Amino acid sequence: MSWQTYVDEHLMCDIEGNSLSSAAIVGHDGSVWAQSSAFPQFKPEEISAIMKDFDEPGTLAPTGLHLGGTKYMVIQGEPGAVIRGKKGPGGVCVKKTNQCLLIGIYDEPMTPGQCNMVVERLGDYLVDQGY
């Protein structure tokens, strides 16, 4: 299965009538493996900052998580595995696997829990597959 298929069929899937606004699978080095058409153009330093927070949990909390120039307030996550961010009625979930980051961005009416479930479930599957 191609990485684009994972984005299109698994990250951008319909959950109780809602879906992510955009999603991407990005290598730890910031290279884009696949993304939805609406995914924001991010800067390499934004991915570097996310990777640093996975290595040193809490580094993003004071400055926020930036993605495509949008700032998200960092909320609870799982140190070294998941970073969750909130901005107004929407937010972001970033799941780290052995080789990549799965990034899901959502807006109302999707809930944070639905976004987390979609992104983290696929992330757990990829970890089990060795990715």
Side-chain angles (χ1 to χ4, degrees):
M1 193 179 325
S2 79
W3 291 111
Q4 192 61 50
T5 305
Y6 280 110
V7 170
D8 296 342
E9 295 182 6
H10 297 281
L11 291 177
M12 298 300 292
C13 66
D14 189 294
I15 298 283
E16 297 167 20
N18 301 320
S19 65
L20 295 172
S21 328
S22 60
I25 301 174
V26 179
H28 288 179
D29 61 358
S31 60
V32 176
W33 292 10
Q35 66 183 28
S36 64
S37 58
F39 196 78
Q41 181 64 48
F42 58 84
K43 299 181 186 85
E45 57 268 24
E46 293 172 333
I47 300 300
S48 298
I50 291 169
M51 287 302 296
K52 182 176 183 196
D53 193 82
F54 280 121
D55 293 335
E56 303 168 36
T59 57
L60 283 178
T63 59
L65 183 157
H66 293 81
L67 197 62
T70 301
K71 179 180 176 180
Y72 297 90
M73 180 177 68
V74 176
I75 54 176
Q76 96 286 356
E78 297 168 27
V82 179
I83 300 171
R84 298 184 187 109
K86 190 98 176 94
K87 178 179 173 57
V92 64
C93 177
V94 183
K95 168 75 176 176
K96 181 180 183 228
T97 73
N98 301 326
Q99 298 179 25
C100 62
L101 301 174
L102 280 72
I103 306 171
I105 299 174
Y106 70 94
D107 219 327
E108 286 185 327
M110 188 173 224
T111 66
Q114 289 171 326
C115 172
N116 298 344
M117 184 176 70
V118 168
V119 174
E120 294 172 35
R121 187 173 56 196
L122 179 58
D124 291 340
Y125 168 79
L126 291 177
V127 168
D128 290 344
Q129 300 301 307
Y131 293 106

